[in-house]
Amino acid sequence: MSHHSQPSGAHDFDALIGSWTVLNTRKKGHLLQNQAMPEDEASWEEFRGRDRFEKQLDGRAVVEHWEATLPSGERALGYSVKAFEPATGQWAIVWIDNRNPLDFRPLWGSFENGVGTFFQAVETSDGKPLHVRYIWDEMTATTARWQQAFSFDEGKHWDTNWIMNFTRAE
């Protein structure tokens, strides 16, 4: 049941439907800095969470419900909508959570050879360009991976700051 050779389509995220346990690995403090730290200077933290995906709009949209307890003890809740645009073959992804200002500007992208890559360009609060990249890959019946990276030089260099490894919940 592989879509590897097909172009992006409305079924790209079907493998995610259902419930998952999530191992979150994130770079500490990355949301507070406007300059990415070199990899060897960054410290990483791990914490577990749960996620659930469901189809909406007759399959045109996938809604995500993510929750975790951060190492600080703070409860983190996230909600995303992944919506497919048939005219362009592109997905739009919007993420909102209980810890950051609302931002309904989507990341746009598509799948190629089983890897989904999605981009957004925004300005930081001090006017600097920030490029955001999500990668969805390793999507099987029982596993998936999501990665977030930031670029401060218009995509020449990417700094990965959050990785989620998904395992199908029983």
Side-chain angles (χ1 to χ4, degrees):
M1 198 171 130
S2 157
H3 300 289
H4 289 297
S5 60
Q6 295 174 1
S8 187
H11 297 286
D12 289 327
F13 284 107
D14 283 9
L16 292 180
I17 303 306
S19 295
W20 301 83
T21 58
V22 184
L23 176 61
N24 296 274
T25 308
R26 73 168 185 175
K27 210 175 263 193
K28 287 164 92 167
H30 77 266
L31 295 175
L32 306 176
Q33 293 144 351
N34 280 336
Q35 296 304 322
M37 278 193 286
E39 292 289 337
D40 55 353
E41 290 178 28
S43 60
W44 292 77
E45 59 187 5
E46 282 191 354
F47 55 96
R48 300 208 167 262
R50 296 199 307 264
D51 213 337
R52 182 169 50 85
F53 298 84
E54 62 192 38
K55 281 192 170 191
Q56 296 286 341
L57 303 178
D58 289 333
R60 184 174 176 179
V62 174
V63 173
E64 173 183 7
H65 308 266
W66 175 86
E67 61 180 276
T69 301
L70 303 178
S72 66
E74 183 182 4
R75 187 160 177 244
L77 299 171
Y79 182 87
S80 87
V81 176
K82 299 161 178 52
F84 185 67
E85 179 51 73
T88 62
Q90 297 261 305
W91 285 91
I93 300 179
V94 171
W95 169 269
I96 57 175
D97 62 51
N98 66 329
R99 301 171 54 250
N100 293 292
L102 288 176
D103 185 353
F104 285 94
R105 295 169 294 185
L107 286 81
W108 286 95
S110 60
F111 280 79
E112 195 171 325
N113 299 320
V115 178
T117 310
F118 307 88
F119 295 99
Q120 176 197 57
V122 296
E123 277 189 9
T124 59
S125 54
D126 58 6
K128 292 192 176 120
L130 166 63
H131 290 242
V132 182
R133 180 185 70 193
Y134 292 174
I135 295 175
W136 278 99
D137 65 0
E138 297 185 8
M139 290 168 68
T140 71
T142 56
T143 64
R145 181 174 65 176
W146 171 89
Q147 301 177 74
Q148 173 181 269
F150 289 170
S151 173
F152 297 94
D153 58 11
E154 300 186 353
K156 291 198 251 321
H157 302 92
W158 289 97
D159 184 58
T160 299
N161 55 50
W162 195 315
I163 301 167
M164 293 187 195
N165 282 292
F166 292 80
T167 305
R168 177 74 64 184
E170 295 306 317

